[in-house]
Every structure is written in structure tokens, then in C-alpha cells.
């Protein structure tokens, strides 16, 4: 028997043992063969000089055989094999056992290759490419908030909602449908606020109230605003942070008839312009203020002090804003009652602690993709926000240090297993620096100069004063934008630090926060507004007050059904023994939870 016949029989036997799905057409390259087309490898057929456009090369995997003279190709059911004796050449085994060698293919050339691929991309395509690369790891709503087709400032746009109203200034009113879905999702995680809306909308306890607000404009804030409207209030709103606005939510609010002036990425001038547009309206004057950080209150005091003659009260929810209110009160300049929501139990223990415990990791992960295990981190401040940040980092395996000025908080940090240090002692060692003090210049240029290369620096306090960012804007340092809200600050020797959100609030600038926790804060704010607006003359003087304990307990009770929780009730005898009302309040004002 000849060698050719033996080879053919062996090939036929091998062919029978191979599953049908593995039999490939010589005209359809396998995944591992695709690269061979570009690298002058053997292929099914060729032309004397094949010419494809870049689009055809990228999109078409099947290459049509040339009609020019070439050996007759095997049937599509033939098996393509590599013949080692032909220096890597390919051969085809037919059904009848004969072996046919495929002709070699010349290098495929692309028409106008250099000109096509070296063209400078357009402005829009560059931004689209940037979004596609970083969207999943930087901004939860990047597909909405950055989808504008131009760089035109919202202040220069003429936009109207479907009802013809133009009393708003946002990024893009066309994003309203996306924003409405965000709000509907938030409603499902805000049971107390929805319950309050259902219970009180018949009574309209805020009928006649004109609330001007300056808070983070998110889906959760939208639920609060719509609740206030359902309770009878009129609202005008601006953002308290230039990076935290969810543009699609702002669009949904504008479409719903709310006067909203905010967009993500405002300049400092835009920020104050938006606040002014909220309050500077001849036909509309606010009688209630809902503030986060004190900027709105400050602006009215500075520009429109006469408005306070009609304002019934201020509700403030941040450490920074409350501090400013106490300064006004101490100086005798506070001319209306103010409610300190920040120091209410439900805000301190839930928003500041539990919210930050989850959102700190979310913000760091989205912006830096950092692995926490084994990293050394320092948290400046061990208040409720600092406690949440430390707990989260410790749970992820980080080595955590704490700086603190208060001996009581410092002792708590030690008892919780954290090492109390001065920032200067460990600044060269740490991988992450987090500020959450509410103070200014906590991290200064001297500290920044001593940090190791790659150190991540961020702020979890309300204001951007904690990190001395201004000291980094000098000629010898280079700023390099890596992705949204992430900058590399590069020293002359090549060292670089990673600055997040330009020193502004990390979690709301770079990620999201748990909706359920914000339900607690938003319900507290709504009740504080109702209390101040309906309080009889004389109940509250021109001072700063804490939310009544009874209201704190009411807010907490509204959230318990979510957990199918059942409270134990006091008997008459037990209530008498403790000297309490069976329905609360259950703790005195001086009690520390």
C-alpha cells in the first residue's frame, strides 16, 4: 500500500472521531486563526493584492475568495490542518481522504491606512471614548450626567419643560425620563418619607410655605421635595455642592414643575449664581430655609437681609452649617429660629455613622479601584463620620490610624482598637488620608509634601476647607486629570498623590449614598420644617434648637416596619415606675445614645 493511501486512510479515521461542530470551513477562520490574516500567515485564499478599508477589516471576519486563478478549494466540510513539513502551512483533508494544500495568502493591506488611523478624533468622539472607558468605575450616573453634546453652559441655554415653563436652569431637560426612574427607585427605599406624605397630605401642614433649599440634588432629595410639595409647600432649589448634582434628577424635577438651578460641575461663580436665582425673585419670597452647609443662609444675610422679616425659620443639617448658625447666635445676629437637624439622634447615629460607613468604600473604589486589604490609612476626626469610615476600613483589612483633638473621642478610638497618632508621625507611611473634622487646614502643604507617591487624599466632611488644595495650585506642581473627580498632583521629582473631588465631599461627589439612611435624614428635615412653620409665636426664639426628642423617636418608628421589627410596650405599672409616658419620649434630652 502506497504512503499516500495510508496517509489518506489515517486522515479519514481522524476525521470521523472529530465532532461535527469542530469541522470548520476554510473560509471561516477560527478565533486563533484571525490574527494570522494580519500577520502574513496562511489562509484560505488570496488575491494578488487584497485591499480592505479599516471599517471592513474591523467588522468582517469572513474574507471572500478571489475569483482569480487558484487551485480548486476543498468542500466546506473539510478539516483544516497544519502541516509541519510545510513550515506551518495549512492543508485540508477532504471527505474522501485526499489531502489538499491551501495556497499561501499575501499580506492584506488597508487602503489609506495611515491617513485613516492618524486622523485627530473630533471633540465629541474624544469625550465619548473617555466616558466609555471610565463610566463604570467613576460615576454611577455618568451615562446621563455627561451626555451633553456640547460644552455650552446651562446658563446660556434656553430650555423649557413640556408645560412651557422655563423657570429652571439645569444641564439637559431631555434627561427627565431617566431621572424619573431614579426617583421611583429611591421612593422604594424611603418608607418613612412616603408614609409621612401619605398621612399628612390631606392636612397640608405646609400649605402656604415657600421653602428655598440648598442641598445635594439627588434622587433622595427629589423624594423630599415632592413630599414637601404634597404637604402644601412651594419649593425653589439649588445645589450645596458643585459636584454632587445628579443631572437627570434635576431634569426630572424641572419637568415636574420645580424651580431647580443646579448641574454637575458648576464653577464657583455658577454656584452662587444658582443660589441667587432661587431667592432673587420679585413675585416669590421664601418664608422657610432648608440648608446644608449654611451657604444659602449666608447669601441671604449678605445680599437680602430684609427677607428675614418674613422667614419663619431655618433648618440646617450639616456640621459646618450648624457651626455657622451658632456663631450667628453667639454674635446676636441670628434673627429667626433655627433647627439643628445635624445633632438630632436620628441624623447623628444613622446618616453620619451608617451612611458614611458604606459610602466611604464606594467612593474610594469607584475613583481609584484600590484594594483595601493591608493598606495603611489615617482618618482625621473620630466623630460619627470618622467612626463610620474607620469601621469600614478596618472591616476590609486596612491598618487604621486616627487623629483627634477631643480626649473623649480619642479614648473611644483607642477602645475601638485604633492607634491614636499625630498626622505628622505617620504621614510618610500611609496609603490613604481621609479628613472628616468639619475644620479647616487639617491637611496642609507640609503634610502633602511628605506623603509617599501614590497616596490617596480625600475629604468626607461637608466643606472643602479641610485639605489645603489651594497650596497645590503652584507652578512647580502639575495637575493631571485621570478620570472624573480624580486628579494626580505631580511633584518635580515624579512623586504624585491622588486627590479626589478636589477636596470636596467624597461620597456624594464620586459615588452614591444608601437611600434608606437618607430617608431618615429627609424625614427629620420635613418634620423640622413642619414644626417651625406651624409653631405658635413665642415657642421658639431667635436661637438654635435641637429637634424635639418625640420627633426623633417618631422618625425611628416609621422605619422599623421595613425590618419587620416589633417594639415592646410598657405596662402602666412599668411606665409609672420609670416616670414615663407609655408613648414616649423614652429618654431625657441629656441622654447620650
Amino acid at each position: 500500500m502506497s504512503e499516500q493511501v495510508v496517509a489518506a486512510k489515517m486522515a479519514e479515521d481522524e476525521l470521523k472521531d472529530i465532532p461535527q461542530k469542530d469541522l470548520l470551513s476554510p473560509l471561516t477562520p477560527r478565533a486563533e486563526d484571525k490574527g494570522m490574516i494580519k500577520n502574513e500567515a496562511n489562509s484560505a485564499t488570496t488575491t494578488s493584492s487584497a485591499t480592505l478599508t479599516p471599517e471592513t477589516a474591523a467588522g468582517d471576519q469572513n474574507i471572500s475568495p478571489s475569483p482569480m486563478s487558484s487551485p480548486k478549494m476543498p468542500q466546506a466540510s473539510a478539516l483544516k490542518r497544519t502541516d509541519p513539513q510545510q513550515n506551518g502551512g495549512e492543508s485540508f483533508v477532504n471527505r474522501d481522504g485526499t489531502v489538499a494544500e491551501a495556497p499561501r495568502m499575501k499580506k492584506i493591506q488597508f487602503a489609506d491606512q495611515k491617513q485613516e488611523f492618524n486622523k485627530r478624533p473630533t471633540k465629541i468622539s474624544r469625550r465619548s471614548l473617555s466616558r466609555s472607558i471610565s463610566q463604570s468605575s467613576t460615576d454611577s450616573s455618568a451615562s446621563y450626567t455627561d451626555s451633553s453634546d456640547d460644552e455650552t453652559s446651562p446658563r446660556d441655554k434656553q430650555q423649557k419643560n413640556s408645560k412651557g415653563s422655563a423657570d429652571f436652569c439645569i444641564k439637559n431637560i431631555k434627561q427627565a425620563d431617566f431621572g424619573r426612574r431614579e426617583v421611583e427607585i429611591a421612593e422604594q427605599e424611603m418608607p418613612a418619607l412616603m408614609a409621612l406624605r401619605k398621612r399628612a397630605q390631606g392636612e397640608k401642614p405646609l400649605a402656604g410655605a415657600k421653602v428655598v433649599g440648598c442641598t445635594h440634588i439627588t434622587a433622595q432629595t427629589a423624594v423630599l421635595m415632592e413630599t414637601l410639595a404634597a404637604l402644601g409647600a412651594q419649593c425653589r432649589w439649588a445645589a450645596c455642592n458643585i459636584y454632587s448634582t445628579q443631572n437627570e434628577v434635576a431634569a426630572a424635577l424641572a419637568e415636574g414643575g420645580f424651580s431647580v438651578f443646579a448641574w454637575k460641575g458648576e464653577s464657583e461663580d455658577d454656584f452662587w449664581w444658582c443660589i441667587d436665582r432661587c431667592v432673587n425673585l420679585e413675585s416669590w419670597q421664601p418664608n422657610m430655609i432648608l440648608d446644608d452647609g449654611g451657604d444659602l443662609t449666608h447669601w441671604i444675610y449678605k445680599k437680602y437681609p430684609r427677607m428675614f422679616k418674613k422667614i419663619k425659620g431655618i433648618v440646617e443639617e450639616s456640621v459646618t452649617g450648624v457651626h455657622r448658625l451658632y456663631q450667628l447666635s453667639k454674635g446676636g445676629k441670628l434673627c429667626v429660629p433655627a433647627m439643628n437637624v445635624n445633632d438630632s439622634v436620628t441624623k447623628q447615629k444613622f446618616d453620619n455613622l451608617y451612611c458614611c460607613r458604606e459610602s466611604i468604600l464606594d467612593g474610594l473604589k469607584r475613583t481609584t479601584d484600590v484594594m483595601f486589604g493591608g493598606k495603611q490609612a489615617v482618618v482625621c476626626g473620630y466623630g460619627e463620620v470618622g467612626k463610620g469610615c474607620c469601621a469600614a476600613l478596618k472591616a476590609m483589612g486596612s491598618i487604621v490610624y486616627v487623629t483627634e483633638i477631643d480626649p473623649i473621642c480619642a479614648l473611644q478610638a483607642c477602645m475601638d482598637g485604633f492607634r491614636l497618632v499625630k498626622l505628622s508621625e505617620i504621614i510618610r507611611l500611609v496609603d490613604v488620608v481621609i479628613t472628616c473634622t468639619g475644620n479647616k487646614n487639617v491637611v496642609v502643604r507640609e503634610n502633602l509634601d511628605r506623603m509617599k507617591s501614590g497616596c490617596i487624599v480625600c475629604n468626607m466632611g461637608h466643606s472643602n476647607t479641610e485639605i489645603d488644595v489651594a497650596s497645590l495650585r503652584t507652578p512647580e506642581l502639575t495637575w493631571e486629570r485621570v478620570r472624573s473627580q480624580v486628579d494626580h498632583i505631580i511633584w518635580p521629582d515624579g512623586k504624585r498623590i491622588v486627590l479626589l473631588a478636589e477636596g470636596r465631599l467624597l461620597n456624594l461627589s464620586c459615588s452614591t449614598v444608601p437611600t434608606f439612611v437618607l430617608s431618615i435624614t429627609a424625614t427629620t428635615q420635613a418634620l423640622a420644617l413642619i414644626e417651625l412653620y406651624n409653631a405658635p409665636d413665642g415657642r421658639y426664639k431667635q436661637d438654635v434648637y435641637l429637634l424635639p426628642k418625640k420627633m426623633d423617636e417618631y422618625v425611628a418608628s416609621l422605619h422599623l416596619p421595613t425590618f419587620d421589627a416589633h417594639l415592646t410596650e410598657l405596662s402602666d405599672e412599668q411606665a409609672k415606675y420609670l416616670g414615663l409616658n407609655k408613648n414616649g419620649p423614652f429618654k431625657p434630652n441629656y441622654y447620650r445614645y
Side-chain angles (χ1 to χ4, degrees), residues 41-343:
N42 298 313
S43 183
T45 183
T46 183
T47 64
S48 60
S49 177
T51 303
L52 299 176
T53 64
E55 291 80 3
T56 305
D60 294 338
Q61 294 179 354
N62 295 334
I63 301 176
S64 300
S66 170
M68 298 177 64
S69 60
S70 61
K72 184 178 180 181
M73 301 301 296
Q75 298 297 321
S77 60
L79 172 66
K80 184 169 68 176
R81 303 177 64 191
T82 300
D83 185 355
Q85 295 182 358
Q86 296 294 330
N87 299 321
E90 292 180 346
S91 60
F92 294 84
V93 181
N94 292 322
R95 288 288 190 184
D96 60 5
T98 61
V99 180
E101 180 181 349
R104 294 180 179 275
M105 186 175 189
K106 294 184 180 180
K107 180 178 180 180
I108 294 177
Q109 298 178 355
F110 296 97
D112 301 325
Q113 186 177 34
K114 182 176 181 181
Q115 291 80 356
E116 286 292 330
F117 290 114
N118 288 344
K119 284 184 179 179
R120 184 177 178 85
T122 63
K123 184 175 183 180
I124 295 177
S125 64
R126 288 199 307 273
R127 290 214 320 276
S128 299
L129 176 61
S130 175
R131 286 200 305 273
S132 67
I133 293 174
S134 61
Q135 173 180 322
S136 63
S137 59
T138 56
D139 192 343
S140 63
S141 56
S143 57
Y144 309 140
T145 57
D146 296 332
S147 61
S148 174
D149 291 334
D150 56 61
E151 296 298 330
T152 305
S153 169
R155 293 169 63 173
D156 299 328
K157 294 180 180 180
Q158 297 293 328
Q159 300 185 78
K160 292 184 179 181
N161 62 17
S162 60
K163 299 177 182 178
S165 173
D167 188 21
F168 59 85
C169 188
I170 60 172
K171 188 72 173 179
N172 189 351
I173 189 65
K174 295 179 181 179
Q175 299 173 345
D177 288 341
F178 291 111
R180 177 50 50 192
R181 295 169 198 162
E182 296 264 1
V183 175
E184 290 171 353
I185 292 173
E187 288 177 347
Q188 299 173 30
E189 276 286 294
M190 304 185 80
L193 207 55
M194 299 304 293
L196 181 64
R197 183 189 299 186
K198 184 177 181 180
R199 293 182 187 183
Q201 64 181 355
E203 303 172 6
K204 302 289 184 185
L206 290 176
K210 296 180 178 180
V211 182
V212 59
C214 183
T215 67
H216 303 284
I217 296 184
T218 62
Q220 296 82 14
T221 300
V223 179
L224 170 61
M225 292 172 63
E226 291 178 350
T227 299
L228 297 179
L231 302 185
Q234 299 177 28
C235 300
R236 295 177 70 84
W237 230 263
C240 68
N241 186 294
I242 64 175
Y243 293 130
S244 64
T245 299
Q246 295 175 350
N247 286 337
E248 68 278 10
V249 172
L253 288 169
E255 177 62 29
F258 289 92
S259 299
V260 179
F261 302 87
W263 58 93
K264 189 180 183 72
E266 298 170 4
S267 66
E268 291 288 341
D269 181 65
D270 293 334
F271 176 79
W272 294 111
W273 179 86
C274 289
I275 290 178
D276 191 75
R277 283 293 305 273
C278 279
V279 298
N280 186 17
L281 194 69
E282 293 183 3
S283 60
W284 195 92
Q285 180 171 324
N287 52 26
M288 295 295 298
I289 295 174
L290 179 56
D291 211 352
D292 185 348
D295 291 320
L296 173 59
T297 303
H298 166 78
W299 188 255
I300 295 177
Y301 264 103
K302 180 181 178 180
K303 296 290 186 179
Y304 311 103
R306 294 184 179 179
M307 284 188 178
F308 281 103
K309 293 182 179 179
K310 293 186 178 181
I311 292 176
K312 292 188 175 184
I314 301 169
V315 175
E316 173 59 57
E317 72 152 323
S318 74
V319 174
T320 303
V322 167
H323 177 67
R324 296 167 104 172
L325 287 176
Y326 280 118
Q327 285 183 321
L328 288 172
S329 178
K330 186 177 180 179
K333 298 180 180 180
L334 186 61
C335 50
V336 295
M339 195 71 77
N340 172 7
V341 168
N342 179 73
D343 291 315

Side-chain angles (χ1 to χ4, degrees), residues 363-436:
L364 287 171
K365 282 286 189 184
R366 292 196 197 205
T367 50
T368 66
D369 305 315
V370 65
M371 176 90 176
F372 295 108
K375 291 291 192 300
Q376 298 192 70
V378 59
V379 177
C380 302
Y382 202 67
E384 297 301 328
V385 173
K387 288 180 174 70
C389 293
C390 288
L393 292 168
K394 182 179 180 180
M396 296 299 292
S398 297
I399 302 166
V400 184
Y401 303 93
V402 172
T403 70
E404 181 55 71
I405 62 171
D406 186 330
I408 296 176
C409 292
L411 183 58
Q412 286 180 310
C414 293
M415 296 294 286
D416 288 337
F418 301 108
R419 183 182 170 193
L420 190 74
V421 297
K422 291 183 178 180
L423 186 60
S424 59
E425 296 173 356
I426 44 82
I427 195 63
R428 291 182 182 274
L429 306 176
V430 294
D431 304 289
V432 184
V433 178
I434 302 169
T435 59
C436 42

